[in-house]
């Protein structure tokens, strides 16, 4: 039986907030292991008036949800300790249900999996548009909780700083240095593809995609891993210089 969503009375009173901060009063939990992606969400939340908390794994997210009920949970589809779709399904079945659950991924093909698991919407990386971010959340709210009347859409675009990208690249380098099993290789491919898309780095994204395809087809991965390792080290050196 489908769980009843929390009603409008559980939401803050949007109608008395500033029009350019339509998410004032909301707490957003972002479940995301990428620093550059979570930093983008943090900046978007700040510009929208929402509070943000971050969990970098399913285990950490479940600890958060044991102590409070956020208004919005945004779940990455590929997490280090499990499948984001499973996390979404767990949240969607919980009572009381989180009012708004969104999936997020650098692979738009994950939209259907997120929605099938019970997500109310989906965000594709890179998440940069303030208007698209706000609309994704507002559209997923119960109708009675949405702000009334017409609202001017902001044309702001956010860009996380280089430190977040550097942290993600360093994480990939660390995992690469220890990668021995197929699970680690699959994680590198998914994680790096999302990071590369957020950074608009097509060469790095193509290398990560090639690794993922090779892994899925059982192809020898030494060449792909060596290429990715070189690209990551080059970009780490560039971010240190900048």
């Amino acid at each position: 039986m489908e769980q009843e969503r929390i009603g409008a009375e559980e939401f803050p009173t949007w109608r008395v907030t500033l029009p350019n901060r339509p998410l004032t009063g909301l707490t957003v939990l972002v479940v995301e292991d990428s620093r550059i992606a979570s930093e983008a969400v943090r900046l978007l939340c700040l510009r929208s008036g929402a509070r943000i908390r971050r969990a970098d794994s399913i285990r950490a997210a479940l600890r958060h949800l044991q102590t409070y009920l956020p208004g919005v949970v945004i779940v990455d589809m590929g997490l280090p300790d499990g499948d984001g779709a499973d996390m979404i399904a767990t949240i969607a079945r919980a009572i009381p249900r989180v009012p708004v659950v969104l999936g997020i991924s650098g692979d738009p093909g994950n939209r259907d999996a997120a929605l099938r698991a019970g997500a109310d919407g989906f965000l594709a990386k890179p998440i940069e548009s303030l208007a698209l971010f706000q609309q994704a959340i507002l559209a997923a709210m119960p109708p009675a909780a949405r702000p009334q009347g017409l609202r001017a859409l902001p044309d702001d675009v956010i860009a996380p700083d280089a430190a977040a990208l550097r942290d993600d690249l360093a994480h990939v380098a660390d995992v690469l240095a220890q990668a021995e099993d197929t699970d680690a290789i699959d994680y590198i491919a998914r994680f790096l593809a999302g990071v590369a898309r957020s950074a608009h780095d097509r060469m790095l994204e193509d290398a990560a995609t090639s690794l993922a395809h090779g892994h899925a087809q059982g192809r020898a991965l030494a060449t792909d891993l060596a290429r990715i390792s070189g690209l990551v080290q080059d970009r780490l050196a560039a971010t240190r210089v900048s």
Side-chain angles (χ1 to χ4, degrees):
M1 178 176 175
E2 184 178 355
Q3 305 299 340
E4 183 177 349
R5 296 178 62 183
I6 293 176
E9 67 277 1
E10 300 295 333
F11 286 92
T13 52
W14 270 264
R15 296 175 185 82
V16 300
T17 64
L18 296 174
N20 61 343
R21 293 184 179 271
L23 306 183
T24 297
L26 269 181
T27 296
V28 176
L29 172 62
V30 57
V31 189
E32 171 63 72
D33 53 336
S34 165
R35 271 289 313 283
I36 194 170
S38 59
E39 177 66 6
V41 174
R42 185 185 73 83
L43 294 172
L44 290 164
C45 284
L46 289 176
R47 297 291 297 274
S48 304
R51 297 182 297 272
I52 181 169
R53 297 187 182 184
R54 180 195 176 206
D56 60 4
S57 66
I58 291 175
R59 180 178 297 180
L62 292 175
R63 286 200 299 267
H64 278 272
L65 294 170
Q66 286 172 356
T67 59
Y68 71 98
L69 184 72
V72 179
V73 178
I74 300 174
V75 182
D76 183 39
M77 296 300 290
L79 292 161
D81 58 346
D83 188 346
D86 292 339
M87 177 75 192
I88 289 171
T90 297
I91 298 172
R93 290 193 301 264
I95 301 174
R97 187 192 190 277
V98 172
V100 176
V101 182
L102 302 177
I104 178 176
S105 177
D107 180 359
N110 282 324
R111 175 187 298 272
D112 288 345
L115 297 179
R116 284 197 304 270
D120 304 305
F122 180 84
L123 291 165
K125 299 176 186 177
I127 312 168
E128 299 172 331
S129 166
L130 186 60
L132 289 178
F133 176 76
Q134 292 177 356
Q135 285 300 105
I137 292 175
L138 294 173
M141 291 177 182
R146 298 172 193 165
Q148 302 299 305
L150 297 176
R151 186 175 69 88
L153 296 178
D155 55 7
D156 308 52
V157 174
I158 63 93
D161 62 30
L165 174 59
R166 185 165 57 248
D167 286 351
D168 280 346
L169 291 172
H171 175 59
V172 171
D174 288 343
V175 176
L176 279 171
Q178 305 172 44
E180 296 180 355
D181 57 50
T182 56
D183 288 343
I185 292 171
D186 184 56
Y187 172 71
I188 289 169
R190 289 185 289 105
F191 179 86
L192 191 57
V195 171
R197 182 167 291 201
S198 294
H200 298 280
D201 189 332
R202 185 59 184 271
M203 183 180 293
L204 192 59
E205 182 182 350
D206 288 346
T209 301
S210 177
L211 177 64
H213 288 168
H215 181 221
Q217 295 168 6
R219 192 177 69 224
L221 302 175
T223 301
D224 288 330
L225 285 170
R227 180 187 178 202
I228 283 178
S229 182
L231 291 172
V232 168
Q233 292 301 326
D234 288 346
R235 282 147 181 78
L236 274 172
T239 57
R240 282 194 291 267
V241 170
S242 61

